[in-house]
């Protein structure tokens, strides 16, 4: 569970780093947005690197870690898209989510 928690927190930081400027930051100079985003992303790395190390040490494969991260990223981004950017959810979002969840299932099938 520490791996999932750390990956979730890291994705909160990364989604914010990549997309915060789309809501209220479009007037800022691009170089400043990049610097602010890098500062935010620093914390993402401080969480993602340990998450991957802990997960790998616990028997997760690199593929399992990556697909879990992608599934978490999709969930986090969906929330960010709706609650921060104010964009509506569409059936295509649900379909994409189900495809990612199927990929997670395929990589974890047979995992003890």
């Amino acid at each position: 569970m520490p791996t999932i928690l750390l990956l979730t927190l890291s994705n909160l930081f990364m989604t914010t780093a990549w997309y915060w400027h789309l809501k209220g930051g479009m007037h800022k100079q691009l170089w400043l947005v990049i610097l602010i985003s890098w500062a935010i992303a620093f914390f993402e790395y401080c969480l993602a690197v340990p998450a991957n190390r802990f997960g790998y040490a616990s028997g997760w494969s690199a593929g399992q870690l990556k697909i879990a991260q992608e599934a978490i990223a999709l969930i986090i981004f969906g929330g960010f898209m709706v609650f921060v950017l104010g964009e509506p959810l569409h059936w295509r979002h649900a379909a994409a989510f189900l495809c990612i969840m199927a990929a997670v299932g395929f990589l974890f099938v047979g995992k003890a």
Side-chain angles (χ1 to χ4, degrees), residues 4 6 22 27 32 41 56-57 63 66 73-75 77 91 97 100:
I4 298 296
L6 289 170
L22 301 180
H27 65 282
L32 181 58
Y56 198 76
K66 182 59 180 171
L74 185 59
I75 294 166
F77 181 77
W91 71 266
F97 178 75
I100 294 290

Side-chain angles (χ1 to χ4, degrees), residues 15-76:
T15 299
T16 302
W18 285 0
Y19 299 103
W20 69 270
H21 59 93
L22 301 180
K23 181 81 173 197
M26 292 296 289
H27 65 282
K28 292 181 178 11
Q29 293 291 319
L30 185 56
W31 66 268
L32 181 58
V33 169
I34 292 169
L35 288 177
I36 293 169
S37 292
W38 273 50
I40 296 168
F42 169 78
F43 296 103
E44 185 270 342
Y45 279 88
C46 290
L47 296 165
V49 171
N52 286 306
R53 286 181 68 117
F54 295 155
Y56 198 76
S58 296
W60 292 37
S61 71
Q64 289 170 327
L65 288 165
K66 182 59 180 171
I67 201 69
Q69 183 274 326
E70 293 298 337
I72 292 166
L74 185 59
I75 294 166
I76 298 295

